[in-house]
Amino acid sequence: MELNFEQAEAMLEPQRRAELAKLMWDGAALPQVLTPAEKVFVFGLYTFIEYEDKDKLKAYFSP
């Protein structure tokens, strides 16, 4: 089954999305083992960074 970003996002708990987004924001190393949904989600976050839409990325872990 192939997932798109929205499906992967919906499959993850809010806390996990925030953890992964914060790692991406900080440029920190990601966990070596990611679920398929986490991989798709992280790739989506990567595209936000590449297309300079960091506000979208920051929204995942901002209060």
Side-chain angles (χ1 to χ4, degrees):
M1 177 177 142
E2 292 185 28
L3 298 173
N4 64 35
F5 178 77
E6 290 78 15
Q7 291 168 325
E9 179 183 36
M11 293 176 73
L12 300 176
E13 296 291 325
Q15 180 179 351
R16 186 60 174 162
R17 290 191 305 258
E19 291 168 1
L20 293 170
K22 184 75 167 112
L23 290 172
M24 295 291 292
W25 180 267
D26 293 341
L30 295 170
Q32 289 199 2
V33 177
L34 295 170
T35 67
E38 290 170 338
K39 289 178 184 178
V40 172
F41 181 73
V42 167
F43 182 75
L45 297 182
Y46 171 78
T47 61
F48 292 145
I49 293 168
E50 286 299 304
Y51 291 99
E52 299 183 6
D53 191 359
K54 291 188 177 182
D55 289 336
K56 177 72 173 172
L57 175 63
K58 191 175 180 182
Y60 284 101
F61 61 87
S62 294

